[in-house]
Coordinates of all heavy atoms in Angstrom, one line a residue:
M21 N -3.9 -101.7 -55.2 CA -3.9 -102.9 -54.4 C -3.7 -104.1 -55.4 O -4.1 -104.1 -56.5 CB -5.2 -103.1 -53.7 CG -5.3 -104.3 -52.8 SD -6.7 -104.4 -51.8 CE -7.9 -105.0 -52.9
Y22 N -2.9 -105.1 -54.9 CA -2.8 -106.3 -55.6 C -4.0 -107.2 -55.5 O -4.5 -107.3 -54.4 CB -1.5 -107.0 -55.1 CG -1.0 -108.1 -56.1 CD1 -0.4 -107.7 -57.3 CD2 -1.2 -109.5 -55.9 CE1 0.0 -108.7 -58.2 CE2 -0.8 -110.4 -56.8 CZ -0.2 -110.0 -57.9 OH 0.2 -111.0 -58.8
P23 N -4.5 -107.7 -56.6 CA -5.6 -108.6 -56.6 C -5.5 -109.7 -55.5 O -4.5 -110.5 -55.6 CB -5.8 -109.2 -58.0 CG -5.0 -108.2 -58.8 CD -3.9 -107.7 -58.0
G24 N -6.4 -109.8 -54.6 CA -6.2 -110.9 -53.5 C -5.6 -110.4 -52.3 O -5.5 -111.0 -51.3
G25 N -5.0 -109.2 -52.4 CA -4.4 -108.5 -51.2 C -3.0 -108.9 -50.9 O -2.3 -109.5 -51.7
T26 N -2.5 -108.5 -49.7 CA -1.2 -108.7 -49.4 C -0.7 -110.1 -49.3 O 0.5 -110.4 -49.8 CB -0.9 -108.0 -47.9 OG1 -1.3 -106.6 -48.0 CG2 0.5 -108.0 -47.5
L27 N -1.4 -111.0 -48.8 CA -1.0 -112.4 -48.7 C -0.8 -113.0 -50.1 O 0.2 -113.6 -50.3 CB -2.1 -113.2 -48.0 CG -1.8 -114.7 -47.8 CD1 -0.5 -114.9 -47.0 CD2 -2.9 -115.4 -47.2
I28 N -1.6 -112.7 -51.1 CA -1.4 -113.2 -52.4 C -0.2 -112.5 -53.1 O 0.6 -113.2 -53.8 CB -2.7 -112.9 -53.3 CG1 -3.9 -113.7 -52.6 CG2 -2.5 -113.4 -54.7 CD1 -3.7 -115.1 -52.5
W29 N 0.0 -111.3 -52.8 CA 1.2 -110.6 -53.3 C 2.4 -111.2 -52.7 O 3.4 -111.5 -53.4 CB 1.2 -109.1 -52.9 CG 2.5 -108.3 -53.3 CD1 3.3 -107.8 -52.4 CD2 3.0 -108.1 -54.6 NE1 4.4 -107.2 -53.0 CE2 4.2 -107.4 -54.3 CE3 2.7 -108.5 -55.9 CZ2 5.1 -107.1 -55.4 CZ3 3.5 -108.1 -56.9 CH2 4.7 -107.4 -56.7
E30 N 2.5 -111.5 -51.4 CA 3.7 -112.1 -50.8 C 3.9 -113.5 -51.4 O 5.1 -113.9 -51.7 CB 3.5 -112.2 -49.3 CG 3.5 -110.9 -48.6 CD 3.2 -110.9 -47.1 OE1 2.7 -112.0 -46.6 OE2 3.3 -109.8 -46.5
R31 N 2.8 -114.3 -51.7 CA 3.0 -115.6 -52.3 C 3.6 -115.4 -53.8 O 4.5 -116.2 -54.2 CB 1.7 -116.3 -52.4 CG 1.2 -116.9 -51.1 CD -0.1 -117.6 -51.3 NE -0.7 -118.0 -50.0 CZ -1.9 -118.3 -49.8 NH1 -2.8 -118.4 -50.9 NH2 -2.3 -118.6 -48.6
Y32 N 3.1 -114.5 -54.5 CA 3.6 -114.2 -55.9 C 5.1 -113.9 -55.8 O 5.9 -114.4 -56.6 CB 2.8 -113.0 -56.5 CG 3.5 -112.5 -57.8 CD1 3.3 -113.3 -59.0 CD2 4.3 -111.4 -57.8 CE1 4.0 -112.8 -60.1 CE2 4.9 -111.0 -58.9 CZ 4.8 -111.7 -60.1 OH 5.4 -111.3 -61.2
V33 N 5.5 -113.0 -54.9 CA 6.9 -112.6 -54.8 C 7.8 -113.8 -54.4 O 8.8 -114.0 -55.0 CB 7.1 -111.4 -53.8 CG1 8.6 -111.2 -53.5 CG2 6.4 -110.2 -54.3
S34 N 7.3 -114.6 -53.4 CA 8.1 -115.8 -53.0 C 8.3 -116.8 -54.1 O 9.3 -117.3 -54.2 CB 7.4 -116.4 -51.9 OG 7.4 -115.6 -50.7
K35 N 7.3 -116.9 -54.9 CA 7.3 -117.8 -56.1 C 8.2 -117.3 -57.2 O 8.9 -118.1 -57.9 CB 5.9 -118.1 -56.6 CG 5.9 -119.1 -57.7 CD 4.4 -119.4 -58.1 CE 4.4 -120.3 -59.3 NZ 3.0 -120.5 -59.8
N36 N 8.2 -116.0 -57.4 CA 8.8 -115.5 -58.7 C 10.2 -114.8 -58.4 O 10.9 -114.6 -59.4 CB 7.9 -114.5 -59.3 CG 6.7 -115.2 -59.9 OD1 6.8 -115.9 -60.9 ND2 5.6 -115.3 -59.2
L37 N 10.6 -114.5 -57.2 CA 11.8 -113.8 -57.0 C 12.9 -114.9 -57.0 O 12.9 -115.8 -56.2 CB 11.8 -113.1 -55.6 CG 13.0 -112.3 -55.3 CD1 13.1 -111.1 -56.2 CD2 12.9 -111.7 -53.9
K38 N 13.9 -114.7 -57.9 CA 15.1 -115.6 -57.9 C 16.2 -114.9 -57.3 O 16.7 -113.9 -57.7 CB 15.4 -116.0 -59.4 CG 14.1 -116.5 -60.1 CD 13.7 -117.8 -59.5 CE 12.6 -118.4 -60.4 NZ 11.4 -118.7 -59.7
Y39 N 16.8 -115.5 -56.3 CA 17.9 -114.9 -55.6 C 19.2 -114.9 -56.5 O 19.6 -116.0 -57.0 CB 18.3 -115.7 -54.3 CG 18.8 -114.8 -53.2 CD1 17.9 -114.0 -52.5 CD2 20.2 -114.6 -53.0 CE1 18.4 -113.1 -51.5 CE2 20.7 -113.8 -52.0 CZ 19.8 -113.1 -51.3 OH 20.3 -112.2 -50.3
P40 N 19.7 -113.8 -56.8 CA 20.8 -113.7 -57.8 C 22.1 -114.4 -57.2 O 22.4 -114.3 -56.1 CB 21.1 -112.2 -57.9 CG 19.9 -111.6 -57.4 CD 19.3 -112.4 -56.4
D41 N 22.8 -115.1 -58.1 CA 24.1 -115.8 -57.7 C 25.0 -114.8 -57.1 O 25.7 -115.2 -56.1 CB 24.7 -116.5 -58.9 CG 23.9 -117.6 -59.4 OD1 23.1 -118.2 -58.7 OD2 24.1 -118.0 -60.6
R42 N 25.2 -113.6 -57.7 CA 26.2 -112.7 -57.1 C 25.8 -112.3 -55.7 O 26.8 -112.3 -54.8 CB 26.1 -111.4 -58.0 CG 26.9 -110.3 -57.6 CD 26.8 -109.1 -58.5 NE 27.1 -107.9 -57.9 CZ 27.5 -106.8 -58.5 NH1 27.6 -106.8 -59.8 NH2 27.8 -105.7 -57.9
A43 N 24.7 -112.1 -55.3 CA 24.3 -111.8 -53.9 C 24.4 -113.1 -53.0 O 24.9 -113.0 -51.9 CB 22.9 -111.3 -53.9
S44 N 24.1 -114.2 -53.6 CA 24.2 -115.5 -52.8 C 25.6 -115.8 -52.5 O 25.9 -116.1 -51.3 CB 23.5 -116.6 -53.6 OG 23.6 -117.8 -52.9
I45 N 26.5 -115.7 -53.5 CA 27.9 -116.0 -53.3 C 28.5 -115.0 -52.2 O 29.3 -115.5 -51.4 CB 28.7 -115.8 -54.6 CG1 28.3 -117.0 -55.5 CG2 30.2 -115.8 -54.4 CD1 28.8 -116.8 -57.0
K46 N 28.1 -113.8 -52.2 CA 28.6 -112.8 -51.2 C 27.8 -112.8 -49.9 O 28.1 -112.0 -49.1 CB 28.6 -111.4 -51.8 CG 29.6 -111.3 -53.0 CD 29.5 -109.8 -53.6 CE 30.6 -109.7 -54.7 NZ 30.6 -108.3 -55.1
S47 N 26.8 -113.7 -49.8 CA 25.9 -113.7 -48.6 C 25.2 -112.4 -48.3 O 25.2 -112.0 -47.1 CB 26.7 -114.2 -47.4 OG 27.2 -115.6 -47.6
I48 N 24.8 -111.7 -49.3 CA 24.2 -110.4 -49.2 C 22.7 -110.6 -49.1 O 22.1 -111.3 -49.8 CB 24.5 -109.5 -50.4 CG1 26.0 -109.3 -50.5 CG2 23.7 -108.2 -50.3 CD1 26.4 -108.5 -51.7
Q49 N 22.1 -110.0 -48.0 CA 20.7 -110.1 -47.8 C 20.1 -108.7 -47.5 O 20.9 -107.8 -47.2 CB 20.4 -111.0 -46.5 CG 20.9 -112.4 -46.6 CD 20.6 -113.1 -45.4 OE1 19.5 -113.2 -44.9 NE2 21.6 -113.7 -44.8
G50 N 18.8 -108.5 -47.6 CA 18.2 -107.3 -47.3 C 16.9 -107.1 -48.0 O 16.5 -107.9 -48.8
T51 N 16.3 -106.0 -47.8 CA 15.0 -105.6 -48.4 C 15.3 -104.5 -49.4 O 15.8 -103.4 -49.0 CB 14.0 -105.2 -47.4 OG1 13.8 -106.3 -46.4 CG2 12.7 -104.8 -48.0
V52 N 14.8 -104.8 -50.6 CA 14.9 -103.7 -51.7 C 13.5 -103.1 -51.7 O 12.5 -103.8 -51.8 CB 15.2 -104.3 -53.1 CG1 15.1 -103.2 -54.2 CG2 16.5 -105.0 -53.0
I53 N 13.4 -101.8 -51.7 CA 12.1 -101.1 -51.8 C 12.1 -100.4 -53.2 O 13.0 -99.6 -53.5 CB 11.9 -100.1 -50.7 CG1 11.9 -100.8 -49.4 CG2 10.6 -99.3 -50.9 CD1 11.8 -99.9 -48.1
V54 N 11.0 -100.8 -53.9 CA 10.8 -100.3 -55.3 C 9.6 -99.4 -55.3 O 8.5 -99.8 -54.8 CB 10.6 -101.4 -56.3 CG1 10.4 -100.9 -57.7 CG2 11.8 -102.4 -56.2
C55 N 9.7 -98.2 -55.8 CA 8.6 -97.3 -56.0 C 8.1 -97.4 -57.5 O 8.9 -97.6 -58.3 CB 9.0 -95.9 -55.8 SG 7.7 -94.6 -55.9
F56 N 6.8 -97.5 -57.6 CA 6.3 -97.7 -59.0 C 4.9 -97.1 -59.1 O 4.2 -96.9 -58.0 CB 6.3 -99.1 -59.5 CG 5.5 -100.1 -58.6 CD1 4.2 -100.5 -59.0 CD2 6.0 -100.6 -57.5 CE1 3.4 -101.3 -58.2 CE2 5.3 -101.5 -56.7 CZ 4.0 -101.9 -57.0
T57 N 4.4 -96.9 -60.2 CA 3.0 -96.4 -60.5 C 2.1 -97.5 -61.0 O 2.5 -98.3 -61.8 CB 3.1 -95.2 -61.5 OG1 3.9 -94.2 -61.1 CG2 1.7 -94.7 -61.8
V58 N 0.9 -97.5 -60.5 CA -0.2 -98.3 -61.0 C -1.1 -97.4 -61.8 O -1.6 -96.4 -61.2 CB -1.0 -99.1 -59.9 CG1 -2.1 -99.8 -60.6 CG2 -0.1 -100.0 -59.1
D59 N -1.2 -97.6 -63.1 CA -2.0 -96.7 -63.9 C -3.5 -97.1 -63.9 O -3.9 -98.1 -63.2 CB -1.5 -96.7 -65.4 CG -1.7 -97.9 -66.2 OD1 -2.5 -98.8 -65.8 OD2 -1.0 -98.0 -67.2
E60 N -4.3 -96.3 -64.5 CA -5.7 -96.5 -64.5 C -6.2 -97.8 -65.0 O -7.3 -98.3 -64.8 CB -6.5 -95.4 -65.2 CG -6.3 -95.3 -66.6 CD -5.0 -94.5 -67.0 OE1 -4.4 -93.9 -66.1 OE2 -4.8 -94.4 -68.2
S61 N -5.3 -98.6 -65.8 CA -5.7 -99.9 -66.4 C -5.1 -101.0 -65.5 O -5.4 -102.2 -65.7 CB -5.1 -100.0 -67.8 OG -5.7 -99.0 -68.6
G62 N -4.4 -100.7 -64.4 CA -3.8 -101.7 -63.6 C -2.4 -102.1 -63.9 O -1.8 -103.0 -63.2
N63 N -1.8 -101.5 -64.9 CA -0.4 -101.8 -65.3 C 0.5 -101.1 -64.4 O 0.2 -100.0 -63.9 CB -0.2 -101.3 -66.8 CG -1.0 -102.1 -67.7 OD1 -1.0 -103.3 -67.8 ND2 -1.9 -101.3 -68.4
T64 N 1.7 -101.7 -64.2 CA 2.7 -101.0 -63.4 C 3.8 -100.4 -64.3 O 4.0 -100.8 -65.4 CB 3.5 -102.0 -62.5 OG1 4.1 -103.0 -63.3 CG2 2.5 -102.7 -61.5
N65 N 4.3 -99.2 -63.9 CA 5.3 -98.5 -64.7 C 6.1 -97.5 -63.8 O 5.8 -97.4 -62.6 CB 4.7 -97.8 -65.9 CG 3.6 -97.0 -65.6 OD1 3.6 -96.0 -64.8 ND2 2.4 -97.3 -66.2
D66 N 7.0 -96.8 -64.3 CA 7.8 -95.8 -63.6 C 8.5 -96.4 -62.4 O 8.4 -95.8 -61.2 CB 6.9 -94.6 -63.2 CG 6.3 -93.9 -64.4 OD1 6.9 -93.9 -65.4 OD2 5.1 -93.4 -64.2
Y67 N 9.3 -97.4 -62.6 CA 10.0 -98.0 -61.5 C 11.2 -97.3 -61.0 O 12.0 -96.9 -61.9 CB 10.4 -99.5 -61.9 CG 9.3 -100.3 -62.6 CD1 9.2 -100.2 -64.0 CD2 8.3 -100.9 -61.9 CE1 8.2 -100.8 -64.7 CE2 7.4 -101.6 -62.6 CZ 7.3 -101.6 -64.0 OH 6.3 -102.2 -64.6
S68 N 11.4 -97.2 -59.8 CA 12.7 -96.7 -59.2 C 13.0 -97.3 -57.9 O 12.1 -97.6 -57.1 CB 12.6 -95.2 -59.1 OG 11.6 -94.8 -58.2
I69 N 14.3 -97.6 -57.6 CA 14.7 -98.2 -56.4 C 14.8 -97.0 -55.4 O 15.6 -96.1 -55.6 CB 16.1 -98.9 -56.6 CG1 16.0 -100.0 -57.7 CG2 16.6 -99.5 -55.2 CD1 15.1 -101.1 -57.4
I70 N 14.1 -97.1 -54.3 CA 14.3 -96.1 -53.3 C 15.0 -96.6 -52.0 O 15.5 -95.7 -51.2 CB 12.9 -95.5 -52.9 CG1 11.9 -96.5 -52.3 CG2 12.3 -94.8 -54.1 CD1 10.7 -96.0 -51.8
M71 N 15.2 -97.9 -51.9 CA 16.1 -98.4 -50.9 C 16.8 -99.6 -51.5 O 16.3 -100.6 -51.8 CB 15.4 -98.8 -49.7 CG 16.4 -99.2 -48.5 SD 15.6 -99.5 -46.9 CE 15.4 -101.3 -47.0
S72 N 18.1 -99.4 -51.8 CA 19.0 -100.4 -52.4 C 19.7 -101.3 -51.4 O 20.0 -100.8 -50.3 CB 20.0 -99.7 -53.3 OG 20.9 -100.6 -53.8
V73 N 20.0 -102.5 -51.8 CA 20.8 -103.4 -51.0 C 22.1 -103.7 -51.7 O 23.2 -103.5 -51.2 CB 20.0 -104.7 -50.7 CG1 20.9 -105.7 -49.9 CG2 18.8 -104.4 -49.9
E74 N 21.9 -104.2 -53.0 CA 23.1 -104.5 -53.8 C 22.5 -104.6 -55.2 O 21.3 -105.0 -55.4 CB 23.6 -105.8 -53.3 CG 25.0 -106.2 -53.9 CD 24.9 -106.9 -55.2 OE1 23.9 -107.6 -55.5 OE2 25.9 -106.8 -55.9
Y75 N 23.3 -104.2 -56.2 CA 22.9 -104.1 -57.6 C 22.1 -105.3 -58.0 O 21.0 -105.2 -58.7 CB 24.1 -103.8 -58.5 CG 23.7 -103.6 -59.9 CD1 23.1 -102.4 -60.4 CD2 23.9 -104.7 -60.8 CE1 22.7 -102.3 -61.7 CE2 23.5 -104.5 -62.2 CZ 22.9 -103.3 -62.6 OH 22.5 -103.2 -63.9
S76 N 22.6 -106.5 -57.9 CA 22.0 -107.7 -58.4 C 20.6 -107.9 -57.8 O 19.6 -108.3 -58.4 CB 22.8 -108.9 -58.3 OG 23.0 -109.3 -56.9
L77 N 20.5 -107.6 -56.5 CA 19.1 -107.7 -55.8 C 18.2 -106.6 -56.3 O 17.0 -106.9 -56.6 CB 19.3 -107.6 -54.3 CG 20.1 -108.7 -53.6 CD1 20.3 -108.4 -52.2 CD2 19.3 -110.0 -53.8
D78 N 18.7 -105.4 -56.5 CA 17.9 -104.3 -57.0 C 17.3 -104.7 -58.4 O 16.1 -104.5 -58.7 CB 18.7 -103.0 -57.2 CG 19.2 -102.5 -55.8 OD1 18.8 -103.1 -54.8 OD2 20.1 -101.6 -55.9
Q79 N 18.2 -105.2 -59.3 CA 17.8 -105.6 -60.6 C 16.8 -106.8 -60.7 O 16.1 -106.9 -61.7 CB 19.0 -105.8 -61.5 CG 19.9 -104.6 -61.7 CD 19.1 -103.4 -62.2 OE1 18.4 -103.5 -63.2 NE2 19.0 -102.3 -61.4
E80 N 16.8 -107.6 -59.7 CA 15.9 -108.7 -59.7 C 14.5 -108.3 -59.2 O 13.5 -108.8 -59.6 CB 16.4 -109.8 -58.7 CG 15.5 -111.0 -58.6 CD 15.2 -111.8 -59.9 OE1 16.0 -111.8 -60.8 OE2 14.1 -112.4 -60.0
A81 N 14.4 -107.3 -58.4 CA 13.2 -106.8 -57.8 C 12.3 -106.2 -58.9 O 11.1 -106.4 -58.9 CB 13.5 -105.8 -56.7
I82 N 12.8 -105.4 -59.8 CA 12.0 -104.7 -60.8 C 11.3 -105.7 -61.7 O 10.0 -105.5 -61.9 CB 12.8 -103.6 -61.5 CG1 13.2 -102.5 -60.5 CG2 12.0 -103.1 -62.7 CD1 14.1 -101.5 -61.1
P83 N 11.9 -106.7 -62.3 CA 11.1 -107.6 -63.2 C 10.0 -108.4 -62.4 O 9.0 -108.7 -63.1 CB 12.2 -108.6 -63.7 CG 13.5 -107.9 -63.5 CD 13.3 -107.0 -62.3
V84 N 10.2 -108.6 -61.2 CA 9.1 -109.3 -60.4 C 7.8 -108.4 -60.4 O 6.7 -108.9 -60.6 CB 9.5 -109.6 -58.9 CG1 8.4 -110.1 -58.1 CG2 10.6 -110.7 -59.0
I85 N 8.0 -107.1 -60.2 CA 6.9 -106.2 -60.3 C 6.4 -106.0 -61.7 O 5.2 -106.1 -61.9 CB 7.3 -104.9 -59.7 CG1 7.6 -105.0 -58.2 CG2 6.1 -103.8 -59.8 CD1 8.3 -103.8 -57.5
K86 N 7.3 -105.9 -62.7 CA 6.9 -105.7 -64.1 C 6.0 -106.8 -64.6 O 5.1 -106.7 -65.3 CB 8.1 -105.6 -65.0 CG 8.7 -104.2 -65.0 CD 9.9 -104.2 -66.0 CE 10.5 -102.8 -66.1 NZ 11.6 -102.7 -67.0
N87 N 6.4 -108.1 -64.1 CA 5.7 -109.3 -64.6 C 4.5 -109.7 -63.8 O 3.9 -110.7 -64.0 CB 6.7 -110.4 -64.8 CG 7.8 -110.1 -65.7 OD1 7.6 -109.5 -66.8 ND2 9.0 -110.5 -65.4
S88 N 4.1 -108.9 -62.8 CA 3.0 -109.2 -62.0 C 1.7 -109.0 -62.7 O 1.6 -108.4 -63.8 CB 3.0 -108.4 -60.6 OG 2.8 -107.0 -60.9
Y89 N 0.7 -109.6 -62.2 CA -0.6 -109.4 -62.9 C -1.1 -108.0 -62.7 O -0.5 -107.2 -62.0 CB -1.7 -110.3 -62.1 CG -1.3 -111.8 -62.2 CD1 -0.9 -112.4 -61.1 CD2 -1.4 -112.5 -63.4 CE1 -0.5 -113.8 -61.1 CE2 -1.1 -113.8 -63.4 CZ -0.6 -114.5 -62.3 OH -0.3 -115.8 -62.3
L90 N -2.2 -107.7 -63.4 CA -2.7 -106.3 -63.3 C -3.1 -106.0 -61.9 O -3.7 -106.9 -61.2 CB -3.9 -106.2 -64.2 CG -3.7 -106.2 -65.7 CD1 -5.0 -106.1 -66.5 CD2 -2.7 -105.1 -66.1
W91 N -2.8 -104.8 -61.4 CA -3.2 -104.4 -60.1 C -4.6 -103.7 -60.1 O -5.0 -103.4 -61.2 CB -2.1 -103.4 -59.5 CG -0.8 -104.0 -59.2 CD1 0.0 -104.7 -60.1 CD2 -0.2 -104.0 -57.9 NE1 1.1 -105.1 -59.4 CE2 1.1 -104.7 -58.1 CE3 -0.5 -103.5 -56.7 CZ2 1.9 -104.9 -57.0 CZ3 0.4 -103.7 -55.6 CH2 1.5 -104.4 -55.8
I92 N -5.2 -103.6 -59.0 CA -6.4 -102.9 -58.9 C -6.1 -101.4 -58.7 O -5.5 -101.0 -57.7 CB -7.3 -103.4 -57.7 CG1 -7.6 -104.8 -57.9 CG2 -8.6 -102.5 -57.6 CD1 -8.2 -105.5 -56.7
P93 N -6.4 -100.5 -59.7 CA -6.0 -99.1 -59.7 C -6.8 -98.4 -58.6 O -7.9 -98.8 -58.2 CB -6.3 -98.6 -61.0 CG -7.2 -99.6 -61.6 CD -7.1 -100.9 -61.0
A94 N -6.3 -97.3 -58.1 CA -7.0 -96.4 -57.2 C -8.1 -95.7 -57.9 O -8.1 -95.7 -59.1 CB -6.1 -95.4 -56.5
H95 N -9.1 -95.2 -57.2 CA -10.2 -94.6 -57.8 C -10.7 -93.4 -56.9 O -10.6 -93.5 -55.7 CB -11.4 -95.4 -58.2 CG -11.9 -96.2 -57.0 ND1 -13.0 -95.7 -56.3 CD2 -11.6 -97.4 -56.5 CE1 -13.2 -96.6 -55.3 NE2 -12.5 -97.6 -55.4
N96 N -11.1 -92.4 -57.6 CA -11.6 -91.3 -57.0 C -12.8 -90.8 -57.8 O -12.7 -89.7 -58.5 CB -10.6 -90.1 -56.8 CG -11.1 -88.9 -56.0 OD1 -12.1 -89.0 -55.4 ND2 -10.3 -87.8 -56.1
G97 N -13.8 -91.6 -57.9 CA -14.9 -91.4 -58.8 C -14.6 -92.0 -60.2 O -15.5 -92.3 -60.9
K98 N -13.3 -92.2 -60.5 CA -12.9 -92.8 -61.7 C -11.5 -93.4 -61.4 O -10.9 -93.0 -60.4 CB -12.8 -91.9 -62.8 CG -11.8 -90.8 -62.7 CD -11.7 -89.9 -63.9 CE -10.6 -88.9 -63.8 NZ -10.0 -88.5 -65.0
M99 N -11.1 -94.4 -62.2 CA -9.7 -94.9 -62.0 C -8.7 -93.9 -62.2 O -8.8 -93.1 -63.2 CB -9.6 -96.1 -63.0 CG -10.5 -97.2 -62.7 SD -10.5 -97.9 -61.0 CE -11.7 -99.1 -61.1
I100 N -7.6 -93.9 -61.3 CA -6.6 -92.9 -61.5 C -5.2 -93.5 -61.3 O -5.1 -94.7 -60.7 CB -6.7 -91.8 -60.4 CG1 -6.7 -92.4 -59.0 CG2 -7.9 -90.9 -60.7 CD1 -6.7 -91.3 -57.9
N101 N -4.2 -92.9 -61.8 CA -2.8 -93.4 -61.6 C -2.4 -93.1 -60.1 O -2.7 -92.0 -59.6 CB -1.8 -92.6 -62.5 CG -2.0 -92.9 -64.0 OD1 -2.7 -93.9 -64.3 ND2 -1.5 -92.1 -64.8
V102 N -1.7 -94.0 -59.6 CA -1.2 -93.8 -58.2 C 0.1 -94.6 -58.0 O 0.3 -95.6 -58.6 CB -2.3 -94.2 -57.1 CG1 -2.5 -95.7 -57.2 CG2 -1.9 -93.7 -55.7

């Protein structure tokens, strides 16, 4: 879970996502879905695009996640990767 929940995550993305010129010029829009792992320390890693829109949008999505604050890791009696 992102610290503060979904609303805080949405604010973070809105503030930090820069719309690529290439997509803007071509009027390309859509939702990129990125799969990633949150490790037991709350770091994100193992990024992969599972729903692509256009290369420049895909490439902008991953750094937004990489540069996010530490996430709250899942736990099952102890912190685990998920």
